[in-house]
Amino acid sequence: MRDGKISLIRQAVRAMLGGLVASLLVVAATPAGAQDDDQRAVKARMAGSALSWAAENGRLRQFMEAFPKGGDIHSHLRGAIYAESWLEWAAADGLCADMSVPALRFKVKDSCAASGWLTAGEAQANEDHRRELINSLSNRSYVPTLNWSGHNDFFATFARISASPKRLGDQLANVAARAGRQNILYLELMETIILPELFPLLSGVQLSSDLAADYQTLMSGPFGQAMPTLVASARTQIAAARARKDQLLRCGTANADAGCGVKIRFLHQVIREFEPAMVYGQMILGWALMKDEPMMLGMNLVAPEDGRVALRDYKLHMRMIDHLYTNLGPRNVALHAGELTMGLVRPKQLTFHIRDAIEVGHAKRIGHGIAVGYERDSEGLLKKMAQEGIMVEINLTSNDTILGVKGKDHPLVLYRDMLVPYALSTDDEGVSRIDLTHEYMRLYTEHRVPYFELRHSARNSLTYSFLPGDSLWESEACKKDVETGAQAGAECAAFLETSEKAKLQWELEERLRVFEDERRIPERKRTSFK
């Protein structure tokens, strides 16, 4: 009996050794490049296994925070700031707190008390007032009640925020530092740099809906005369904000914050809930800024898509964009479209917004796109988006809060099935009390997206960014170097020098290689049972 067991063991060992030798022979017979390809794929699979282990062992946050996430390309700067920061800045700058709302306000009389308000400093020092303000300036502690939805709670926050214009640089430092801690390389921030100055120039101007004639009306009046000054002011503000950000983060010093390594660019944010002259004027200014200011890479329309004016003038707004695109030259356009759902608006208004944004508004990216299933010929529209590479920006928490759409009801399921490119983004992380790491965690837990697809989403955020230059994936030499895990060869290196976008994509690939080299399921040294 004992001899039989020994015989079986010997057979097993011989079989194991034979398999090992066979594996070594296969590796030896495999070309070096293919071996490298296999090694890169193996490391990525091991990272996927480490992800599963992390999710089951209370370490999903740590895994996703370290995961290189590319960029956040759907982020409103104003909405990205947490309420506590707004309150701290308001207190330092002598602003007021109207606790009847609650909201932060600029002084309108000699003192805050003269208006029946507290100073922001007094409100900050009182724990009850501080709590109420934080809740009012964000979705923290939000609970649905009669006549007050998540949609209402979300959009109401913006009118409650007041901040000194000098804080633009502080805002950039705030979001850059947060991104740096999460291994994010790039932020494409929506911001309205110029707005109050436009009201005296455009208020009362009546348009005819003949967009060529309306353009001439605006440009021949006070608005057109002020255009050089407006563009110069915006450029000055951007430069000052960047310098302030670098100062706050100690960029260029030995103690530089991780946020110094985060590249930041802007999208010109047009607020669409105004009368046509004001909206058209904002767009025209945006076209000029995108031409003259390298930091301004594109344009977007903002404010609730279900607002009275936004619905009334939706087709007009798309025509405005088309006129400027056709007559002043192409620009990068990303549009909030389909941030709607059944019950929020009438059914007819769910059927055309995304298609019009693409076919009339020249959108290269769609923000949210929740109503895509209601679009006329939605299957045809999805195929068009897939074929033409029109990306959808997915904001899971925002869609849940504002529209009540999540999980299997989220059209991400449909976009993935139809191979429409997508990337995760935060929308308004300060209002929602989240960050991009949270959204990656949510994508994994709610949709069970595998590691390879998480990596694909991170890559998409840079591929479909508006950074200038060709994509890394358009260079066969660079694609090969990425696949083999090699350093950039001469041909790839030369290509990288021609493209700002490709350079950042290459940096993402380097970070992914380091990340995947380090991800392992740890060996258990002890257990909680000992």
Side-chain angles (χ1 to χ4, degrees):
M1 189 73 173
R2 179 174 174 274
D3 291 341
K5 287 183 178 179
I6 291 174
S7 177
L8 289 173
I9 292 171
R10 286 174 175 165
Q11 291 174 23
V13 168
R14 281 196 294 268
M16 181 180 68
L17 290 173
L20 178 60
V21 170
S23 298
L24 291 172
L25 289 172
V26 169
V27 171
T30 304
Q35 289 182 42
D36 290 336
D37 291 354
D38 290 342
Q39 290 170 10
R40 182 82 199 272
V42 167
K43 287 178 180 178
R45 285 195 292 270
M46 291 176 71
S49 298
L51 168 60
S52 299
W53 181 90
E56 296 298 324
N57 289 275
R59 291 165 176 83
L60 184 58
R61 173 71 200 192
Q62 294 94 317
F63 185 98
M64 289 299 190
E65 187 169 272
F67 174 67
K69 287 172 280 293
D72 188 348
I73 59 175
H74 184 116
S75 174
H76 303 265
L77 179 56
R78 193 174 181 87
I81 305 301
Y82 271 67
E84 291 89 334
S85 296
W86 292 124
L87 182 52
E88 288 170 5
W89 296 333
D93 296 339
L95 273 62
C96 307
D98 176 3
M99 296 309 301
S100 67
V101 178
L104 298 174
R105 304 291 189 213
F106 291 106
K107 286 180 186 175
V108 294
K109 298 183 180 180
D110 291 338
S111 66
C112 295
S115 299
W117 300 335
L118 302 174
T119 67
E122 290 169 335
Q124 184 184 36
N126 181 293
E127 193 57 41
D128 290 338
H129 293 330
R130 178 178 179 276
R131 181 184 67 252
E132 291 167 10
L133 277 164
I134 292 172
N135 291 346
S136 185
L137 301 178
S138 72
N139 293 139
R140 192 182 78 166
S141 302
Y142 163 70
V143 177
T145 57
L146 182 64
N147 295 325
W148 194 251
S149 65
H151 174 288
N152 297 338
D153 200 68
F154 185 93
F155 286 110
T157 61
F158 298 97
R160 299 169 181 169
I161 298 167
S162 295
S164 168
K166 70 180 182 181
R167 294 293 180 177
L168 181 59
D170 297 66
Q171 295 174 50
L172 294 183
N174 188 295
V175 297
R178 186 186 307 142
R181 291 192 297 270
Q182 299 174 77
N183 210 358
I184 296 170
L185 286 77
Y186 177 61
L187 297 174
E188 209 165 83
L189 300 170
M190 286 174 272
E191 177 65 1
T192 304
I193 306 292
I194 299 285
L195 187 64
E197 301 93 324
L198 299 183
F199 288 103
L201 301 173
L202 296 167
S203 294
V205 177
Q206 298 298 314
L207 300 186
S208 66
S209 293
D210 179 338
L211 295 174
D214 291 339
Y215 179 81
Q216 293 303 322
T217 296
L218 293 178
M219 294 306 293
S220 62
F223 170 76
Q225 295 167 16
M227 182 65 71
T229 302
L230 296 172
V231 171
S233 175
R235 297 193 67 183
T236 298
Q237 291 181 58
I238 290 171
R242 294 178 66 195
R244 171 67 173 167
K245 183 264 294 182
D246 289 349
Q247 176 191 13
L248 289 171
L249 298 184
R250 305 175 302 280
C251 299
T253 73
N255 298 315
D257 187 274
C260 294
V262 177
K263 186 182 290 288
I264 293 177
R265 295 294 183 268
F266 292 98
L267 300 184
H268 177 70
Q269 190 172 249
V270 173
I271 300 173
R272 56 182 161 195
E273 272 291 286
F274 293 118
E275 291 304 306
M278 188 67 178
V279 174
Y280 204 16
Q282 291 179 81
M283 290 183 185
I284 294 169
L285 174 59
W287 236 256
L289 277 171
M290 287 184 277
K291 177 176 179 291
D292 294 336
E293 172 50 61
M295 293 287 290
M296 194 68 70
L297 298 186
M299 189 205 78
N300 208 323
L301 295 180
V302 301
E305 194 177 336
D306 59 295
R308 180 183 68 86
V309 174
L311 289 173
R312 182 195 72 188
D313 292 346
Y314 189 86
K315 285 185 173 292
L316 175 61
H317 294 162
M318 296 304 108
R319 290 177 50 229
M320 288 175 174
I321 297 171
D322 180 53
H323 179 80
L324 297 176
Y325 193 97
T326 302
N327 292 279
L328 299 186
R331 300 286 191 272
N332 292 318
V333 179
L335 291 174
H336 288 70
E339 192 181 4
L340 304 167
T341 192
M342 182 66 74
L344 184 64
V345 295
R346 288 174 288 176
K348 68 178 183 178
Q349 291 159 335
L350 298 170
T351 61
F352 63 90
H353 280 206
I354 299 174
R355 184 178 290 279
D356 276 15
I358 294 169
E359 296 182 350
V360 184
H362 302 277
K364 297 180 181 179
R365 302 195 317 243
I366 294 296
H368 300 284
I370 296 299
V372 68
Y374 299 96
E375 291 269 339
R376 297 189 185 96
D377 185 22
S378 61
E379 291 278 320
L381 177 59
L382 288 159
K383 289 178 182 177
K384 178 184 180 70
M385 293 176 72
Q387 290 167 0
E388 298 181 9
I390 298 169
M391 196 195 83
V392 60
E393 302 154 349
I394 298 295
N395 305 285
L396 295 172
T397 296
S398 173
N399 300 152
D400 185 4
T401 301
I402 297 173
L403 302 175
V405 177
K406 62 181 179 180
K408 61 180 175 56
D409 296 324
H410 196 286
L412 174 60
V413 177
L414 180 57
Y415 286 122
R416 291 175 69 204
D417 180 62
M418 296 295 291
L419 302 182
V420 175
Y422 76 90
L424 288 185
S425 44
T426 56
D427 199 11
D428 296 85
E429 59 186 329
V431 175
S432 297
R433 313 287 291 185
I434 58 163
D435 58 15
L436 190 57
T437 297
H438 177 276
E439 297 302 274
Y440 270 84
M441 292 169 64
R442 186 162 187 164
L443 178 64
Y444 179 75
T445 56
E446 288 188 2
H447 295 276
R448 304 308 297 177
V449 170
Y451 175 78
F452 284 92
E453 190 170 339
L454 295 174
R455 190 173 68 175
H456 191 62
S457 172
R459 285 171 168 168
N460 279 348
S461 66
L462 298 184
T463 301
Y464 294 90
S465 75
F466 291 152
L467 284 168
D470 291 331
S471 169
L472 179 74
W473 310 113
E474 295 178 36
S475 165
E476 290 300 323
C478 287
K479 282 171 63 176
K480 181 179 179 181
D481 290 342
V482 168
E483 290 167 1
T484 61
Q487 295 298 311
E491 186 178 348
C492 177
F495 173 79
L496 295 179
E497 288 303 312
T498 69
S499 172
E500 184 179 354
K501 176 184 287 188
K503 275 186 179 179
L504 199 62
Q505 289 176 293
W506 183 264
E507 183 178 344
L508 173 61
E509 294 306 315
E510 290 181 329
R511 293 195 188 189
L512 283 167
R513 280 195 288 270
V514 171
F515 178 80
E516 290 167 2
D517 282 347
E518 295 174 348
R519 292 315 107 180
R520 298 290 182 272
I521 297 175
E523 181 182 348
R524 290 286 195 182
K525 300 297 183 183
R526 59 185 177 82
T527 72
S528 59
F529 301 104
K530 291 185 178 179

